[in-house]
Each structure stands twice: as structure tokens, then as C-alpha cells.
Amino acid sequence: MECLKRCATFLLMLAALAAAPAHAGKPYQHFVVGDGSNVVLPQPAKPAMVLMGGGPDVDAAFAWMIQKGGGGNFVVIRSRGTDAYNPYIYAKGGVQSVETLVIPSREAANDPFVAQRIRNAEALFIAGGDQADYLNYWQGTPVQAAIQELASRRIPIGGTSAGMMVLGRFIYSALNGSITSPEALANPFDKRITLARDYLAMPDLGSVVTDAHFDTRERLGRLVTFMARIVNDGWAGMARGIGIDVETALLVEDGKGTRVGLGAVTFVQSVGQPQVCKPRQPLTYLNLAGQRLAGGGSFDLRNWASYDGGTVGFTVSADKGVLLTR
């Protein structure tokens, strides 16, 4: 019995050491489970991404990322929070290590150690939080460059909620706080509608703005507003939007997306210029083409179409600030 007690104490000590942050006193936090030594694996043949809509995590999406990356070192980055993803992902098996980097400042994002750990990843996941932090703290730093390097090497990259929203070419940056659909439709130039572009160049997201928590927070109206601003302000002649429900993920490999989880994925494409998109005036933007992927099937992001019956089409309009769908 005494031997069992000593063994149990020893195991608890090991667990505590594994959970303790490395590099105490640094501007970042670094947590590792497993063997964190660098693994060198063949470069994946095809680019792979996970767009997750927030809320409860989708187990199948992490298993897919591990499989596409080939194992090795799975890295999670965030600006705040804990290492809760480490044991969750590591328990799925197939990886040598899972590590979390908490990068809460530009000082942390400029630390060479942080960028090197990201570059060593066989899969990278950007946790939820606040996308304004990810722009304010990471833009123009080695962290941003390291993420882009992974994308160029076709390393699987995913994100949930705010982490997903920074993957599109166009970003709702939320620098002045969040906004609801009715508020956005009532005034498309509300000070809370802050947009950014070209943070990352991810494959097949070149015309895309994304939004998370799409169903529970009724965000179709504000996604249409973001798209209206992108076109109205001359950032692009055409904009595409992807809205992801909670507990739902879109798995994208080589431009083809499949849905996993409990909810739906909504795809919207702009049609011409907004009819009315002016400060302090309700938005009018008519007849945008929508598609909803709720069951099986797939969606081709390159041709913006489903060829296997996976989506249900609809039309969405903002008419004097009122959202209409049919």
C-alpha cells in the first residue's frame, strides 16, 4: 500500500511538472504535454484548414487535423487563457506532443522562441478569444510571419471563433467592440464595424470574410453588412462570406470543404454594389446568393458551389436595414 501511495505521489508530481509553464519570467507562457522535441515530417501534399464556429469543440475536427499533419508537434496559440487544449488534444493520440503558447503582447510575439515553436508545428490551431488581440499583438511580428510560413508549407491550420475569423482575407477586427446584426444593418458605418484585410493569405479564402457563433447570435445580417462595406469601400469587386454555427467545423482540403459537428455552414456571395451603403443610413443590399450546408455533401470554395447536393440555396437581402431571406 505504501508503495502504491509513493507511486501515486510521483505521478502527481510528474503531472504538475508537465502542466507547469516553461520559461518563467518571459513575456509569454509555454505549456507542453508529451515530448516537445522537434519532429521533422514530410510536407503535406495538400493544404488543409479547419474553420470552427466556436462553442463546444468538435472532436472530429482535431482528429482530422492530426491525421492531415501526420502527427508530430501540435501547437495551439492564443493571447489569453490556459493550456486546456493540451490534454484534450493529446488524449486523441497520434501526436508526439501538444503545446500551448499564450502570446499576450507584441513583446511576446517578437520573442524568437515563440516564432520557432510555431514554425516547428505539424498542425497549428488558433484558439478563441478576441480577434482584436490577434491583430494588435501579432500583426507585423514574427508570429504572423510564422503562421504564414506554415500556410505556404501546407501545414494544417485551424481556428475557432476569433481564431477562425482571422483566417479569411477580410476580417471583422472588432477593434471597437462587437456589434449585433440589427445594429450593423441600421448603420453600416457604425464605429464598431472595423474591418481589416490581408492579415494572412490562406488558400481558397482570398475573397472571404468569416463569422462565428453564427446561429446562436443571429449573425447573417452583420455578415451581409461586412460584405457590403468590403465592396462599397473598393476593397474588392466581389465578397464572399462564410458563417459557421457553434459546435460545427468546416474541414477544407485542397479547396473542398466538408461539414462536421451539430450545426450548419452558411455561404454567401455578393452581387454587384450595395444599393445604399452610407453612414447613418440603413443598409440596402439586395439579392445576395446564399447556400447552407447542413448535412452530408461538400462545398467547393474555388467554384463556390456544391456539386453533390450538399447545400440548400436561398437569397438574402438587406432592405432599408431589414434582413429578408427567401
Side-chain angles (χ1 to χ4, degrees):
M1 180 63 69
E2 186 61 32
C3 179
L4 288 175
K5 289 181 179 179
R6 286 198 301 269
C7 290
T9 301
F10 179 68
L11 290 172
L12 287 171
M13 291 174 61
L14 286 178
L17 288 171
H23 304 279
K26 297 289 186 178
Y28 56 84
Q29 289 181 288
H30 179 226
F31 306 86
V32 184
V33 293
D35 179 0
S37 59
N38 186 35
V39 176
V40 179
L41 296 175
Q43 181 173 293
K46 299 176 181 179
M49 290 182 296
V50 167
L51 307 179
M52 194 178 298
D57 290 304
V58 182
D59 293 346
F62 288 97
W64 186 83
M65 282 188 73
I66 292 169
Q67 189 264 323
K68 294 302 174 184
N73 309 116
F74 194 115
V75 177
V76 178
I77 58 174
R78 59 198 312 161
S79 63
R80 62 183 76 168
T82 70
D83 62 339
Y85 271 116
N86 285 12
Y88 165 71
I89 297 172
Y90 192 71
K92 299 186 181 310
V95 293
Q96 176 173 294
S97 69
V98 182
E99 56 192 283
T100 292
L101 288 157
V102 182
I103 312 167
S105 65
R106 296 188 68 81
E107 180 187 7
N110 280 297
D111 193 290
F113 175 85
V114 171
Q116 186 61 52
R117 298 308 300 184
I118 295 172
R119 285 195 297 269
N120 287 349
E122 275 67 52
L124 178 76
F125 191 77
I126 308 174
D130 186 342
Q131 63 265 36
D133 286 349
Y134 296 157
L135 272 74
N136 286 331
Y137 299 158
W138 302 351
Q139 190 167 27
T141 72
V143 164
Q144 182 187 21
I147 299 170
Q148 190 60 59
E149 179 185 321
L150 293 184
S152 70
R153 288 164 36 206
R154 300 191 290 273
I155 299 299
I157 296 176
T160 186
S161 190
M164 180 270 288
M165 293 176 71
V166 299
L167 296 179
R169 181 190 174 196
F170 303 113
I171 301 169
Y172 171 53
S173 57
L175 296 178
N176 295 325
S178 189
I179 192 166
T180 66
S181 285
E183 292 166 340
L185 290 164
N187 178 11
F189 284 83
D190 188 294
K191 67 178 182 179
R192 290 167 293 176
I193 300 178
T194 56
L195 300 170
R197 56 180 165 173
D198 300 321
Y199 182 68
L200 296 170
M202 299 296 292
D204 306 306
L205 296 182
S207 301
V208 170
V209 58
T210 65
D211 210 349
H213 302 275
F214 204 65
D215 52 344
T216 57
R217 301 182 188 177
E218 298 181 352
R219 285 181 164 172
L220 178 58
R222 76 175 201 172
L223 182 63
V224 168
T225 306
F226 300 158
M227 295 169 64
R229 282 289 307 275
I230 289 165
V231 175
N232 181 82
D233 295 0
W235 282 13
M238 178 268 291
R240 289 169 167 171
I242 300 177
I244 314 279
D245 290 354
V246 297
E247 203 166 351
T248 307
L250 185 71
L251 314 181
V252 183
E253 183 177 32
D254 204 26
K256 182 179 179 180
T258 56
R259 183 206 61 87
V260 293
L262 299 184
V265 181
T266 301
F267 304 90
V268 184
Q269 181 167 290
S270 67
V271 179
Q273 290 282 328
Q275 284 72 30
V276 179
C277 185
K278 297 179 180 179
R280 294 178 296 280
Q281 292 189 33
L283 176 68
T284 295
Y285 199 11
L286 304 177
N287 300 321
L288 283 75
Q291 299 178 71
R292 188 170 183 268
L293 180 65
S298 61
F299 191 85
D300 184 343
L301 273 70
R302 295 175 184 174
N303 295 300
W304 210 250
S306 176
Y307 299 108
D308 50 15
T311 61
V312 175
F314 64 95
T315 300
V316 58
S317 297
D319 189 358
K320 299 182 179 64
V322 177
L323 191 70
L324 306 170
T325 59
R326 55 182 174 85

